[in-house]
Each structure stands twice: as C-alpha cells, then as structure tokens.
C-alpha cells in the first residue's frame, strides 16, 4: 500500500509539472503571437482609414481581408487563453 501511495504521489507530481509547463507554453506562445499580430492589425487599420492616401478598391479589399483574418487569429488566441485560465482555475465559466 505504501509503494502504491508513493507511486501515486510521484504521478501526481509529474502531472502537476506537465500542467505547469503547458500553461507556461500557452502563455509564452500567445504573447509571441500577439506581438506581431498587434502590428498587423494596427497598420492595416491605419491603411484602411486612408491616412496615407486613397486606396483603390482592390487594395481596400485586400486590406480588409488582412485585417479580418488578423482579428480572427486574435480571437482564437484569446479563446485558447480563456480555456487555459479555466483549466487553471483562474477564471469561472458564466
């Protein structure tokens, strides 16, 4: 029984360490993805507002697609972070 208990404690410790590493990976990855994504969204938004000159219809269409795709990626990253927070018990589902 003692050996079985020790084995369970060791497995529990390993699972806790794996969970910590997963949370660290998600946090680091999301930060690394958000940084360039913020620039893409910001610059495409500035260009869409035509601060630097008028856009032809094709340019505007492409910029809207770039901006929309970037926003979609940001939403996915935020969803992944929310799931990670839920798993870690740092967020409650409403």
């Amino acid at each position: 029984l003692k050996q079985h208990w020790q084995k369970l404690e060791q497995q529990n410790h390993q699972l806790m360490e794996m969970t910590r590493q997963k949370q660290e990976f998600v946090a680091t990855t999301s930060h690394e993805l958000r940084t360039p994504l913020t620039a893409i969204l910001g610059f495409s938004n500035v260009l869409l507002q035509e601060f630097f000159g008028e856009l032809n219809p094709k340019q505007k269409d492409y910029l809207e697609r770039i901006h929309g795709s970037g926003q979609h990626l940001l939403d996915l990253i935020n969803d992944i972070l929310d799931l990670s927070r839920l798993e870690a018990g740092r967020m409650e589902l409403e």
Side-chain angles (χ1 to χ4, degrees), residues 3-79:
Q3 286 177 341
H4 186 64
W5 182 258
Q6 288 174 340
K7 186 177 181 181
L8 286 174
E9 282 182 327
Q10 182 182 15
Q11 288 175 338
N12 188 40
H13 178 71
Q14 289 173 340
L15 287 171
M16 287 173 38
E17 178 61 21
M18 287 173 55
T19 299
R20 185 194 65 76
Q21 289 176 354
K22 182 182 84 168
Q23 290 170 349
E24 187 178 313
F25 172 78
V26 169
T28 301
T29 303
S30 67
H31 173 73
E32 293 300 320
L33 291 171
R34 279 179 163 196
T35 301
L37 195 50
T38 300
I40 291 168
L41 289 171
F43 287 129
S44 63
N45 190 43
V46 167
L47 291 171
L48 281 170
Q49 292 181 25
E50 298 182 346
F51 285 134
F52 300 110
E54 197 172 322
L55 300 170
N56 67 44
K58 193 171 195 174
Q59 290 171 326
K60 191 165 187 150
D61 179 50
Y62 286 172
L63 275 170
E64 287 170 349
R65 290 179 191 206
I66 290 168
H67 191 78
S69 295
Q71 189 60 55
H72 180 70
L73 284 174
L74 184 59
D75 293 342
L76 289 174
I77 292 167
N78 288 333
D79 289 346

Side-chain angles (χ1 to χ4, degrees), residues 76-91:
L76 289 174
I77 292 167
N78 288 333
D79 289 346
I80 291 169
L81 285 173
D82 287 346
L83 284 174
S84 179
R85 287 184 194 109
L86 282 169
E87 285 181 345
R90 291 182 280 156
M91 180 184 204

